[in-house]
Amino acid sequence: MVCVLYLMSGNKVEATIHGKRKLWLDSHQEVYEMTSPKLSIRLFPAPGTDWVGSSTIKCSSSGLEATINFKEKPFFGLKGVSGQLSGQISDIRNTRRLYDISGAWNR
């Protein structure tokens, strides 16, 4: 079950999506379980949307987990770059970090 909650705060509205989604890959016989970051809708001074907060993607059969942090566009949306993210991929069986992730989800 997925539940969406909204919060109005200053110049934006944030939608929190509770629940998990599952993605089944037939070719690899793997199931990935994912959480969602928040959706931030900026009303002013420069209207726009951004994913903010963290998301986790986990595959119990492979033992891999990715934690992704979505960064909000700074300074009320007037300056900076939207869609920035960072994170890591880890082997959850031995808690070893395998890769670091950085970049943008919208490019």
Side-chain angles (χ1 to χ4, degrees), residues 31-107:
V31 178
Y32 291 85
E33 191 173 84
M34 298 170 268
T35 61
S36 290
K38 294 179 183 179
L39 177 62
S40 177
I41 304 166
R42 218 175 22 266
L43 305 173
F44 58 87
T49 59
D50 263 327
W51 290 109
V52 296
S54 64
S55 177
T56 302
I57 304 169
K58 182 191 246 182
C59 178
S60 56
S61 62
S62 70
L64 298 178
E65 179 178 271
T67 303
I68 303 169
N69 299 306
F70 295 84
K71 300 173 185 174
E72 190 168 14
K73 189 174 180 179
F75 195 67
F76 300 108
L78 295 175
K79 294 183 180 178
V81 180
S82 65
Q84 296 295 302
L85 61 84
S86 64
Q88 63 186 25
I89 298 174
S90 303
D91 187 335
I92 55 178
R93 294 171 290 202
N94 60 17
T95 65
R96 189 170 57 114
R97 181 186 293 189
L98 302 174
Y99 300 101
D100 289 321
I101 302 169
S102 65
W105 63 265
N106 57 356
R107 283 182 232 138

Side-chain angles (χ1 to χ4, degrees), residues 20-24 31-34:
K20 296 179 181 178
R21 268 116 347 261
K22 290 188 177 184
L23 172 67
W24 172 261
V31 178
Y32 291 85
E33 191 173 84
M34 298 170 268

